[in-house]
Amino acid sequence: SGGVDSSSIACLLRTFCRDPLETFTASFPGESFDEAPAAARLAESLGLHANPVPVEARELLPALREIVR
């Protein structure tokens, strides 16, 4: 995500690892809570390759119910 925790981890990884690194972020296109653009900007600034993974918000809740069981 583009949040503080994920961003901090990405910064630490870049500090200690110069190998090419990939990031993966759940993307919710068109939703106000989509953090993928922020995550992509961070990845670019660190020289990482961002991989947004599109998720439909309406599909997420049923999937979470299955995962949490």
Side-chain angles (χ1 to χ4, degrees):
S1 74
V4 174
D5 296 345
S6 299
S7 297
S8 298
I9 291 168
C11 289
L12 283 170
L13 280 171
R14 178 44 73 214
T15 299
F16 295 105
C17 181
R18 288 291 164 198
D19 295 334
L21 296 171
E22 303 279 329
T23 64
F24 297 87
T25 303
S27 172
F28 299 90
E31 300 289 347
S32 62
F33 50 84
D34 185 12
E35 294 182 351
R41 288 190 299 274
L42 177 71
E44 182 178 359
S45 73
L46 295 174
L48 308 174
H49 184 256
N51 295 283
V53 179
V55 177
E56 291 289 330
R58 69 177 191 275
E59 296 173 0
L60 183 60
L61 188 55
L64 282 176
R65 286 186 180 126
E66 289 299 316
I67 292 169
V68 175
R69 284 186 184 190

